Amino acid sequence: MPGRKRLQLALFGAGRMGSIHAANIATHPRAVLAAIVDPNIEGARALAETFQSHVRSATDVFDDPAVDAIVIASAASTHPELIDQALARGKAVFCEKPLARDLDTVRSLVAAVEVAGTPFLLAFNRRFDPGFASLASRLREGKAGAPELVLLTSRDPRPPPIDYIVASGGILRETTIHDIDMARWLTGEEPDSVYAVGAARTDPRIAAAGHVDTVMVTLTMPSGTLVSINNSLRSAYGYDQRAEIHGAGGMLQLGNVLSTPVTAWNADGGSSDRPQPFFLERYADAYRRELDYFVNRLEEGGAMSPGAADGLRALEIAEAAEESMRSGLAIKLS
Amino acid sequence: MPGRKRLQLALFGAGRMGSIHAANIATHPRAVLAAIVDPNIEGARALAETFQSHVRSATDVFDDPAVDAIVIASAASTHPELIDQALARGKAVFCEKPLARDLDTVRSLVAAVEVAGTPFLLAFNRRFDPGFASLASRLREGKAGAPELVLLTSRDPRPPPIDYIVASGGILRETTIHDIDMARWLTGEEPDSVYAVGAARTDPRIAAAGHVDTVMVTLTMPSGTLVSINNSLRSAYGYDQRAEIHGAGGMLQLGNVLSTPVTAWNADGGSSDRPQPFFLERYADAYRRELDYFVNRLEEGGAMSPGAADGLRALEIAEAAEESMRSGLAIKLS
Amino acid sequence: MPGRKRLQLALFGAGRMGSIHAANIATHPRAVLAAIVDPNIEGARALAETFQSHVRSATDVFDDPAVDAIVIASAASTHPELIDQALARGKAVFCEKPLARDLDTVRSLVAAVEVAGTPFLLAFNRRFDPGFASLASRLREGKAGAPELVLLTSRDPRPPPIDYIVASGGILRETTIHDIDMARWLTGEEPDSVYAVGAARTDPRIAAAGHVDTVMVTLTMPSGTLVSINNSLRSAYGYDQRAEIHGAGGMLQLGNVLSTPVTAWNADGGSSDRPQPFFLERYADAYRRELDYFVNRLEEGGAMSPGAADGLRALEIAEAAEESMRSGLAIKLS
Amino acid sequence: MPGRKRLQLALFGAGRMGSIHAANIATHPRAVLAAIVDPNIEGARALAETFQSHVRSATDVFDDPAVDAIVIASAASTHPELIDQALARGKAVFCEKPLARDLDTVRSLVAAVEVAGTPFLLAFNRRFDPGFASLASRLREGKAGAPELVLLTSRDPRPPPIDYIVASGGILRETTIHDIDMARWLTGEEPDSVYAVGAARTDPRIAAAGHVDTVMVTLTMPSGTLVSINNSLRSAYGYDQRAEIHGAGGMLQLGNVLSTPVTAWNADGGSSDRPQPFFLERYADAYRRELDYFVNRLEEGGAMSPGAADGLRALEIAEAAEESMRSGLAIKLS
């Protein structure tokens, strides 16, 4: 059959995120889901069957010169090793965050990616959401003038298991990091200070583990733009993902996406539907667009954005926020 | 590999609707896109390549005992023949509207489907839209009490080519028929009268062809429920698809789905995004759910809804509306 | 004290509407509430005390040359006699609808007003509502292009007493007449046909009295513009007053005014506040602006709009709608 | 005339706020606008004429035993002297903020009010706004569960003259102080720390004067509730007054009040009307309710809320925010 060769992508991880990426790869007109790798063989097989793919081992994938790129959606602890191998074998990388759990490893991975020059996409999914993307492009078109106040709201429907909170390093590294990336991306600036306060309100085990589930983070930008981020691990009304940018010329707001546009009116008022329940639903389009961007950039060549360095920068700011929360001091960022 | 046999579906039509059904079949965990049939071989091939399917002839498909069902998304003129063949070969049918262009053929097809007992889904897509479906289920749960006033709005972004308007029999048969089906489905009643008025406002060729592009249709239901449908073939702000049901206990409204939840505020006020541009985007979920329903019902056995008879009833009412518009009289329906 | 003489206004009727007009007159910088006339002396006195006015007899008011105008907010049955006297004594008239209950009396009043040349305002309050006024002015500025579809919704929170329904001549004469006026005003056209259907759904006494509480009315305009009005005497969620105009260039919508802009989000979704409960709250601004218009026009001289003839035209159309509802036929309007 | 004696209120200040209070007093059924005092005699006269009141001197008012209370809407610099006189003459006080410009004077005024036991209302108007009041009462009814995150937005349409900014002590004392009061009132807690950042973005003269026009303030409450306030002196889209409370059981939001409920849809999307332009329009109802509360409490006896001590506490927090902004440190509050 004539036409361009389709890119061969191997997927690591057959869990929730892996399933989403599998569907997006399989239905992409210029990509092929060449392999699924997961220690959970049963899960991998079910996914392979649905999308007419194959369960393979990591070694097999990395040894296969036909595989163009890997998509990392496996457990966070496996990310550094997979990235190292991909760089060694010259395979492009689409990597779910985090690069690694600790800052030192992240720094060495970023350095390695830069040295290798391998195409690398760090999957900060919100940048690919049509809503956030529209917000950013309108801002760049000057629709709100120069930004002055940025408000970012991310609230999860319910806390993850306490073990997960501990393993992930807590809400600032796991949740706020997305808002930090968004603040950097929307304003085009690097913050020069961060101040964070937090509280544990949802589950006594969170406080007992020395963690919090509710935070407010203030970033100041060199231009004078002020950013306020608020996060909670509990939201009775669904996944809450909003943004607001107030500028010299107006305001841009990103609201929630409701499950349906149905409203019921009665003596209590008018009741709309809930926001989308969680990230799988809310960011379904973002995941599709993210994969499509990766395929396009692979074909076109050139750098990908966000890259590994964006993951590093966001983590550095999240760790400074952690330090602020613990010390009660605003932290200067270099 | 163990597990249930996946259903083999053959798709007729590789155009806009066909492409949508192709993707939904290919990514369905219990269906296989066994064949694509289209006289436009190039279009069929492109689709087959994307979804790893095969271009085949109609004869080949109907002769193949492995094919469980056909999905008809080809030109309207081909529908009667394809349905006849499917009934003859015992293949289940998923059929885009219309069954046929003329009432007599529709009547004989409905009779044939009933005689054959073949599983048959008439794809009135709105019934599968999460919003319309939520509206209907809330209504049935009594969230608005007994319905008293029903308002249905369907407005297309722009008129189709004049030839298409003429071939399809005009706005009442092509567009209003969806609202008529919705009125029947939401109220659970058959109208006992219809009154319609119309005008040609968008393009002089429409009037010249004896057609209209703007209509208001009133249906009265035996319970006293009153239905008002308004349609236009032109909508400057996108595809407008709304419904409102006022009942003894309150009101249910279905609003438009906006392209993004971004709002821009400036000295002119707050400007939201547009509604989805047209049916492909607006009803993407509905098409997925419709296909999923078809697969589930095929597996479970039993009647499908909406069926061929629903297509007939809606067309009869559309034709009575046409008669009303031409005569200026309200038409009694038996 | 220097400056313009303040206009002396005498108020007939100290009930709900009278109280509103009393406050608006008393706080108007160029009007004085010179008298309150009501057979209910106690009510009149209470109102006079609040606004530092005086209870007087009708004769006294009409005999007083200092009284510039009368504001008629008394029972409908008193309107013709009060108008006659005002015309005879050369006093300007601000008259709540209806002019009279029967068409013949309305016709002779309109003729008398024209002969007398007395300034006369028929208080179709919606024309003075900031929302409806903004809708009309934007339409005239071409913001939606030429109107093609007009939808008008008016639903009362609860039916008035059955005696009132009978005395007022029913929903078409009492409620729909406002929408008919709005249709004429918004489109700038006189309808050439009317079709109406109705049902009695809220109270068996309404049906027993030969009346309905739920109607849908279709008007066609000479330009081809189609108008759909829906009314109910019961609305579980408050006073529902909306309008929508679809034109060649877009759509203008007038939504309800909510009691507060508070929304509560929980597992059931997001619940807004109710619309304003009824006309006193919803049209508080309209009543102020209407009185201000009356004062301004009295000072400036010249015709007032809407005038007595607008009341007649709206009643003629309402009566044709009644005839349509009873006969099942669309009625041509001359 | 029988019935309760109406309260005699004397108004100080015939400017913008004075005009509003004048109208509310004059139309209150149990209050009389007994006097208007203003060095601008012409303005005082115009107001007195409209509301049938009298221009009098301060001495005359304080000497008149019939005057029950004074309403202070004059320049801020006059407040301490007027309060002192009212306490000395036993007249109740309705006082626009601030009590005084400097903290020492405010402290001595609060002490004096407490010693005197005079009824005293500090007019933090937002507490009387139907929207904010509904927010607070729903919160108290547990509609959102215990509050965890509170976001308060107040943005003025345009900066006041630079002289006014300097005289008033800047945005934290003049604007943020309302949000600080709201944070205390909504949560029912006293903050234990404050952190503030600011920038001058709208006018170089503001920076030159050592002031800012854009601030973000974080308050932490003893329960762990986190509050974020954002303010700007410029808002291209009108007066922006919003609040959001996220709690264990859901979220309560207070949106802006739009000038009209008209939305215009075209190829650019759906454009709503603007928020109310400024406080006179936005808080018209709040001013009416505030005056009504004052009259009711005067009649009933007992303490008023918010009182002078609330003004003091809010100012102390605003000054701590100022200290935070200047030092870059979070400030502990006792």
Side-chain angles (χ1 to χ4, degrees), chain B residues 68-84:
Chain B
D68 299 295
I70 66 167
V71 172
I72 304 178
S74 49
S77 57
T78 68
H79 293 197
E81 170 67 14
L82 292 173
I83 294 168
D84 278 342

Side-chain angles (χ1 to χ4, degrees), chain D:
Chain D
M1 216 168 287
R4 192 164 216 162
K5 177 186 155 294
R6 286 159 71 135
L7 290 165
Q8 306 278 317
L9 272 58
L11 171 68
F12 287 78
R16 284 193 305 185
M17 280 308 309
S19 300
I20 286 184
H21 291 311
N24 293 336
I25 298 167
T27 56
H28 196 284
R30 298 193 310 284
V32 170
L33 180 58
I36 296 172
V37 187
D38 196 297
N40 170 2
I41 296 294
E42 209 165 323
R45 270 192 191 144
L47 209 56
E49 185 182 9
T50 296
F51 297 110
Q52 306 187 34
S53 181
H54 311 278
V55 179
R56 294 166 66 181
S57 71
T59 309
D60 188 34
V61 162
F62 284 116
D63 285 348
D64 182 351
V67 170
D68 297 295
I70 66 167
V71 172
I72 304 178
S74 48
S77 58
T78 67
H79 292 197
E81 169 67 14
L82 292 173
I83 294 170
D84 279 340
Q85 291 225 31
L87 298 185
R89 300 305 187 94
K91 302 202 183 302
V93 180
F94 174 117
C95 185
E96 284 295 322
K97 83 163 181 41
L99 293 163
R101 289 291 185 208
D102 67 294
L103 201 47
D104 283 349
T105 308
V106 170
R107 284 190 176 124
S108 65
L109 285 171
V110 169
V113 168
E114 274 167 20
V115 167
T118 305
F120 193 102
L121 181 72
L122 183 66
F124 273 132
N125 57 308
R126 291 184 202 168
R127 293 203 193 188
F128 299 93
D129 173 65
F132 278 104
S134 168
L135 198 69
S137 65
R138 291 186 196 210
L139 187 63
R140 266 144 221 170
E141 290 158 13
K143 295 293 168 62
E148 295 170 354
L149 294 167
V150 177
L151 277 68
L152 299 170
T153 292
S154 304
R155 300 173 191 155
D156 287 355
R158 58 200 157 273
I162 182 70
D163 291 350
Y164 184 88
I165 293 174
V166 172
S168 69
I171 186 172
L172 290 164
R173 286 179 186 83
E174 179 71 8
T175 298
T176 314
I177 200 166
H178 281 286
D179 299 289
I180 290 170
D181 179 63
M182 202 39 64
R184 294 176 63 240
W185 187 55
L186 289 171
T187 64
E189 294 191 271
E190 294 295 336
D192 49 25
S193 82
V194 58
Y195 175 75
V197 289
R201 305 294 296 270
T202 67
D203 185 334
R205 287 172 298 180
I206 292 175
H211 278 278
V212 296
D213 47 32
T214 310
V215 296
M216 275 189 176
V217 177
T218 306
L219 302 174
T220 61
M221 299 297 187
S223 65
T225 297
L226 311 174
V227 179
S228 180
I229 297 168
N230 75 85
N231 301 131
S232 172
L233 295 184
R234 171 177 58 192
S235 165
Y237 47 92
Y239 191 43
D240 192 346
Q241 301 281 290
R242 286 174 291 144
E244 175 175 319
I245 305 167
H246 174 89
M251 173 170 62
L252 294 167
Q253 287 181 311
L254 178 75
N256 282 316
V257 178
L258 305 186
S259 293
T260 72
V262 175
T263 305
W265 293 87
N266 58 33
D268 294 327
S271 183
S272 75
D273 209 338
R274 272 166 302 211
Q276 296 281 8
F278 212 176
F279 62 94
L280 296 178
E281 298 86 2
R282 172 64 185 84
Y283 290 118
D285 277 353
Y287 297 126
R288 264 193 288 276
R289 290 161 49 108
E290 179 179 63
L291 193 279
D292 185 56
Y293 170 84
F294 183 70
V295 169
N296 285 335
R297 293 303 285 159
L298 269 188
E299 289 178 348
E300 295 163 359
M304 294 186 179
S305 174
D310 292 292
L312 170 58
R313 192 70 195 116
L315 184 59
E316 286 172 341
I317 299 166
E319 301 224 337
E322 180 89 22
E323 185 189 339
S324 172
M325 192 168 69
R326 301 207 179 279
S327 68
L329 299 170
I331 305 298
K332 296 281 168 209
L333 297 160
S334 51

Side-chain angles (χ1 to χ4, degrees), chain B residues 247-317:
Chain B
M251 171 169 62
L252 293 167
Q253 287 181 311
L254 178 75
N256 281 316
V257 178
L258 304 186
S259 293
T260 72
V262 175
T263 305
W265 293 86
N266 57 35
D268 294 328
S271 182
S272 75
D273 209 337
R274 273 165 301 211
Q276 296 282 7
F278 211 176
F279 61 94
L280 296 178
E281 299 86 2
R282 172 63 185 85
Y283 289 119
D285 277 352
Y287 297 126
R288 263 193 289 275
R289 290 162 49 107
E290 179 180 63
L291 193 279
D292 185 57
Y293 170 85
F294 183 69
V295 169
N296 285 334
R297 294 301 286 159
L298 269 187
E299 290 178 347
E300 296 163 357
M304 294 187 180
S305 174
D310 292 291
L312 170 58
R313 191 71 195 116
L315 184 60
E316 287 172 340
I317 299 166

Side-chain angles (χ1 to χ4, degrees), chain A residues 137-150:
Chain A
S137 66
R138 292 188 197 208
L139 186 63
R140 266 146 221 168
E141 290 158 13
K143 293 294 167 61
E148 295 171 352
L149 295 166
V150 177

Side-chain angles (χ1 to χ4, degrees), chain C residues 6 27 53 56 71 84 102 114 143 153 160-161 172 181 184 194 243 262-263 275 303 319 321:
Chain C
R6 285 159 73 133
T27 56
S53 182
R56 295 165 65 180
V71 172
D84 279 341
D102 66 295
E114 274 168 19
K143 294 295 167 61
T153 292
L172 290 164
D181 179 63
R184 295 177 62 241
V194 58
V262 175
T263 305
E319 301 225 336

Side-chain angles (χ1 to χ4, degrees), chain B residues 117-130:
Chain B
T118 304
F120 193 103
L121 182 72
L122 183 66
F124 273 133
N125 57 307
R126 290 183 204 170
R127 294 203 192 188
F128 299 93
D129 172 66

